[in-house]
Amino acid sequence: KDQSYVLAVLTSEQLARAMFPLGDTTKDQVRREAAERGLAVADKPDSHDICFIADGDTGKFLQGRLGSAPGAIVDDGGTVLGRHDGSYAFTVGQRRGLRIGTPSPDGWPRYVLDIEPVSNTVTVGPAPALDVTGIEAQRAVWTGCPEPAGPIGCLVQLRAHGETYPATARMDGGTLRIGLNQPARGVARGQAAVLYDGDTVLGSATISGTSRRSPAPVL
């Protein structure tokens, strides 16, 4: 698998000291060698979620360690629609598991639009409200190039193994501002935005905010 997305948070100095002994070996080759050595994990299925949560129930895992933390589920106007037992159990773009008493007046299914851990509030709304074209990100790391002096054209990846989007990015003080050429759906604060030139990583930053329209200075 291409692991450049998760490695993009490392500086060039850190990467220079890193060793990847399987870097030039395919997964099939690794599995074959593991089988030849009698390792029990040779045929273990790929993990598609958090590998150390065996049953895949992330919410239950977190509740067992963090306890119950009841809060409100609201629409984007602030109207309370329901309750939850912990905002940590939700992700932006999630549809299932929402306990909402009133149906949507416009007939749209509701999705998680935002999670505010300080107020413990989960905001929900229709699917089109998940689309964003403007991204702000903090703590930029420039892995494959110096910090750009002005706007640059690039590709941006917003989740591990997710698709890439043509974009324009620039630094504004300590904030990386990214304008997407097409909307991306379900972008969450805390995710990494990784910038590419083709398949070369330029840098990354932690997403701190999104908007439905790109800020004018970005493009």
Side-chain angles (χ1 to χ4, degrees):
K1 292 181 178 179
D2 180 355
Q3 299 291 337
S4 58
Y5 174 85
V6 294
L7 293 174
V9 298
L10 302 179
T11 65
S12 55
E13 291 80 9
Q14 290 170 323
L15 284 171
R17 295 175 177 272
M19 298 179 66
F20 302 97
L22 300 180
D24 59 354
T25 310
T26 67
K27 183 179 292 186
D28 287 341
Q29 290 172 326
V30 173
R31 287 188 180 279
R32 188 161 53 248
E33 181 171 347
E36 292 171 354
R37 293 173 179 266
L39 301 180
V41 296
D43 296 318
K44 182 180 178 181
D46 289 352
S47 60
H48 297 284
D49 210 322
I50 302 175
C51 59
F52 55 82
I53 301 179
D55 62 2
D57 192 339
T58 305
K60 179 181 176 182
F61 176 86
L62 292 172
Q63 187 175 54
R65 286 153 178 78
L66 301 176
S68 180
I73 300 174
V74 304
D75 64 18
D76 54 9
T79 301
V80 176
L81 304 176
R83 307 290 296 178
H84 64 77
D85 294 325
S87 59
Y88 49 71
F90 296 89
T91 58
V92 171
Q94 179 176 333
R95 178 181 174 186
R96 299 178 62 183
L98 294 173
R99 300 202 306 269
I100 299 174
T102 58
S104 173
D106 53 15
W108 286 95
R110 290 192 177 98
Y111 295 79
V112 175
L113 303 181
D114 189 47
I115 302 160
E116 175 46 63
V118 176
S119 62
N120 201 25
T121 301
V122 176
T123 302
V124 300
L130 289 168
D131 292 341
V132 301
T133 52
I135 296 172
E136 295 182 356
Q138 309 297 325
R139 301 188 295 279
V141 175
W142 298 101
T143 306
C145 71
E147 180 177 320
I152 58 170
C154 59
L155 297 174
V156 61
Q157 185 172 331
L158 302 171
R159 57 178 59 86
H161 313 303
E163 62 183 299
T164 57
Y165 299 85
T168 302
R170 74 175 180 91
M171 289 299 297
D172 178 13
T175 299
L176 177 64
R177 300 190 183 276
I178 303 169
L180 303 178
N181 294 0
Q182 64 192 60
R185 178 161 288 187
V187 182
R189 288 178 290 179
Q191 290 176 319
V194 180
L195 308 184
Y196 290 84
D197 178 8
D199 60 359
T200 300
V201 173
L202 301 177
S204 70
T206 302
I207 297 171
S208 57
T210 62
S211 61
R212 297 185 192 180
R213 288 187 294 177
S214 303
V218 172
L219 301 176

